Amino acid sequence: MTRPKVHIVVLGGTITMAPQKAGGIAPSISGGDLVAAVPALSDVADITVATPFLVPGASLSFAQMRQVDALIDEALAGAAHGVVIVQGTDTIDETAFLLDLTHRHAGPLVITGAMRGASAAGADGAANLLAAVTVAASPAARDLGALVVLNDEIHAARFVAKLHKALPSAFGSPDFGPLGHVIEGRVRIALRIARFDAGLAAPMPDAASVALVSTGLGGDDRMISAVPDLGYKGLVIEAMGAGHLPGNLVAAGEQVAKMMPVILASRVPGGPIFASTYGFPGSEIDLLGRGLLSAGFLSAHKARLLLALSLGAGHSLAEITEAFAAFQ
Ligand code: ASP
């Protein structure tokens, strides 16, 4: 039997962080050193590793993610059975979804990181890397799109969220739970999800600039109204509950929706945006009737990425509406 080949691409994050003279931890451990610190990886697969950059998750850019997308494509079109991306957990929910949008290979694409720095007691980096490589090498993980593996759980990119700032169990999929686990070195997938088609093909297009505006008790409409003049090409509104805005924000939302796509998302993690329940000013029925598009079960951050790539690819409003329909 041929041994699986897994290509690891290390981008930084806490998993690569070590104490600095000036204080605090910062990215400093290369992919080669990270892999060398986990000898058990070679029991699972033949490993190759690249470190295109070492940055905190929050500083990853669209340009860098396009570069990563090309590296994944090159590896999976070549000899690799699977690819593991190692990065900061602050943006894993976003990068996994972004990469999933254009990922068309059957070979597993797994994103991982760590909640504790490399030299912390109980550092979770080695265990997460080993589990991620185990999934990337597994035929059971083929055809599932981008997966996020931390804490021995396997999550679908479209559902996963970072739900805690500190715990190794920080990642969850609030809507449907994890797809499976890695236990005793074996990949156990309990749920298989269908691939989705958001109308985006590799290579990853340039991202258009899309504003994300959140809402809170007693808020006003100034941020929403300012969006067109700031040069944004689209807007995501992180509304309340099942897709509700304070009544005094409705006119601004409708006005902007006449000028660019406006996506209605929610600050509540679980469940979809409603479509047909509430009838008050600022309700989902009211807002969708005024031209806002539903994010469905996508978080505001994931909705922003889908809109940014769709606009970057030059898609029409009808095509964007269809892309979001895949997530209702
Ligand atoms: N601040 C870190 C980062 O995203 C957090 C982590 O990796 O867990 O780079």
Side-chain angles (χ1 to χ4, degrees):
M1 207 182 98
T2 48
R3 269 168 65 77
K5 293 179 175 43
V6 172
H7 186 55
I8 303 177
V9 182
V10 178
L11 312 181
T14 294
I15 192 168
T16 68
M17 294 194 197
Q20 306 294 298
K21 279 204 190 76
I25 59 172
S28 43
I29 300 169
S30 73
D33 288 343
L34 211 58
V35 167
V38 192
L41 290 174
S42 60
D43 297 337
V44 177
D46 288 340
I47 304 291
T48 51
V49 59
T51 313
F53 26 80
L54 275 180
V55 295
S59 293
L60 284 166
S61 66
F62 283 124
Q64 286 172 325
M65 292 317 297
R66 291 184 77 209
Q67 202 180 321
V68 172
D69 184 58
L71 291 175
I72 294 166
D73 192 46
E74 190 185 311
L76 290 176
H81 290 85
V83 172
V84 172
I85 306 298
V86 178
Q87 65 156 92
T89 63
D90 289 353
T91 48
I92 279 186
D93 61 329
E94 292 195 64
T95 56
F97 182 67
L98 189 71
L99 295 170
D100 205 13
L101 285 172
T102 53
H103 181 58
R104 291 288 168 269
H105 292 278
L109 168 59
V110 181
I111 299 92
T112 193
M115 294 300 292
R116 295 178 178 151
S119 46
D124 50 336
N128 286 345
L129 185 57
L130 183 57
V133 168
T134 304
V135 174
S138 170
R142 288 176 69 80
D143 276 318
L144 290 175
L147 301 168
V148 171
V149 173
L150 284 100
N151 202 36
D152 291 336
E153 292 184 333
I154 304 165
H155 296 273
R158 77 192 84 158
F159 299 130
V160 74
K162 187 174 183 181
L163 300 170
H164 198 280
K165 298 180 187 70
L167 300 177
S169 58
F171 283 81
S173 295
D175 275 300
F176 306 110
L179 302 184
H181 299 96
V182 182
I183 297 175
E184 294 184 314
R186 197 174 128 198
V187 175
R188 295 155 191 271
I189 308 254
L191 305 171
R192 294 196 70 83
I193 49 169
R195 303 290 292 267
F196 61 83
D197 185 1
L200 291 158
M204 186 180 284
D206 262 331
S209 65
V210 171
L212 171 56
V213 175
S214 196
T215 49
L217 183 78
D220 64 52
D221 64 5
R222 281 175 293 175
M223 293 291 281
I224 291 175
S225 300
V227 165
D229 284 345
L230 292 172
Y232 289 103
K233 302 286 182 270
L235 167 65
V236 176
I237 301 179
E238 191 177 52
M240 301 163 177
H244 304 150
L245 285 180
N248 58 322
L249 272 63
V250 171
E254 180 177 19
Q255 189 55 32
V256 178
K258 290 188 176 125
M259 304 161 81
M260 63 180 69
V262 178
I263 310 297
L264 180 64
S266 173
R267 62 189 198 181
V268 180
I273 296 294
F274 282 13
S276 58
T277 299
Y278 291 99
F280 55 82
S283 70
E284 81 284 355
I285 293 178
D286 183 27
L287 295 168
L288 298 174
R290 291 173 192 265
L292 278 71
L293 301 178
S294 169
F297 59 78
L298 291 181
S299 69
H301 295 88
K302 288 178 186 172
R304 173 177 165 270
L305 297 173
L306 175 56
L307 184 56
L309 288 201
S310 299
L311 286 168
H315 289 182
S316 66
L317 186 62
E319 288 169 317
I320 290 168
T321 306
E322 205 180 310
F324 275 91
F327 301 98
Q328 303 300 312

